[in-house]
């Protein structure tokens, strides 16, 4: 079974530029998550999709971050314009169904490491 | 807001030593608890999880964790570590507000020397 795919793996941009990350979840997984992991911290959920609908985006800085999952499969996360504090690893994860309480596990991709100069 | 605390930021052990990593959470209601591990150069992956039942949970690679509700703790243990256990370990919790939303601790870096 193929895992969660993310691209690019690394990105260096200057502040005020825009950047986009792509994620392809495990086939058949209905739920997709984007996390931000700043150096020295644990991952923080930015947005959660169930199919192509948003379930939770309470911690997404909506003035500069946007995400979409138009066909309920792959997803893009965009930052425009980027700030220095956006330097982090952006992780995508997927799970087969809503609710980890039933035993669903989130499967993580390798992440995209972003450096904003 | 719910939070997870991992007080051991960096742990250094010799092979065969015993391991215990602390994890405390702040939510007073029903929680689901997880330990994730990230080996060098690899993805985050699930080590073990607790939803209900026996508070002593066994995971992969000989790891176990004990849920102590009165202490709001979910400590990770392994009786004898190996060099291959060198990794970063994250404790996480979900709450009934959103049973999908993993709230992670800051992680503990474990280094095991031969």
């Amino acid at each position: 079974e193929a895992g969660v795919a993310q691209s690019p793996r690394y990105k260096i941009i200057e502040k005020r530029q825009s950047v986009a990350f792509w994620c392809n979840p495990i086939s058949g997984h209905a739920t997709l998550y984007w996390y931000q992991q700043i150096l020295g911290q644990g991952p923080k959920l930015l947005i959660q999709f169930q199919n192509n609908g948003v379930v939770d985006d309470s911690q997404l800085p909506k003035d500069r971050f946007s995400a979409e999952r138009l066909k309920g499969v792959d997803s893009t996360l965009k930052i425009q314009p980027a700030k220095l504090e956006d330097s982090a690893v952006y992780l995508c994860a997927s799970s087969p169904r809503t609710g980890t309480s039933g035993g669903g596990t989130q499967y993580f991709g390798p992440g995209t490491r972003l450096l904003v100069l | 807001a719910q939070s997870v605390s991992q007080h051991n930021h960096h742990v250094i052990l010799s092979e065969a030593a015993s391991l215990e990593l602390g994890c405390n959470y702040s939510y007073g209601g029903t929680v689901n608890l997880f330990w994730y591990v990230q080996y060098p150069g690899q993805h985050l992956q699930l080590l073990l999880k607790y939803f209900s039942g026996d508070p002593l949970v066994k995971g992969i690679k000989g790891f176990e964790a004990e849920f102590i509700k009165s202490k709001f703790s979910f400590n990770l243990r392994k009786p004898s570590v190996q060099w291959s256990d060198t990794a970063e370990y994250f404790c996480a919790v979900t709450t009934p507000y959103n049973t999908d939303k993993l709230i992670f601790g800051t992680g503990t870096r474990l280094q095991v020397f031969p």
Side-chain angles (χ1 to χ4, degrees), chain B residues 17-108:
Chain B
S18 63
L19 170 72
E20 181 159 2
L21 301 183
C23 173
N24 290 91
Y25 60 93
S26 64
Y27 183 68
T30 302
V31 293
N32 298 324
L33 296 154
F34 306 79
W35 277 97
Y36 277 81
V37 61
Q38 188 166 26
Y39 297 103
Q42 296 189 26
H43 310 179
L44 264 175
Q45 58 184 282
L46 183 67
L47 199 55
L48 49 80
K49 60 188 177 186
Y50 172 80
F51 292 154
S52 64
D54 188 344
L56 185 62
V57 180
K58 296 195 182 299
I60 60 172
K61 304 188 181 186
F63 285 91
E64 65 179 28
E66 185 176 12
F67 170 52
I68 303 179
K69 188 174 182 179
S70 61
K71 295 184 177 180
F72 299 91
S73 70
F74 190 55
N75 292 354
L76 182 70
R77 299 195 294 248
K78 186 171 184 178
S80 176
V81 294
Q82 301 173 311
W83 176 78
S84 58
D85 294 324
T86 294
E88 188 143 20
Y89 294 81
F90 292 93
C91 183
V93 63
T94 66
T95 71
Y97 296 114
N98 183 345
T99 55
D100 292 310
K101 184 175 181 177
L102 286 167
I103 301 166
F104 284 90
T106 53
T108 297

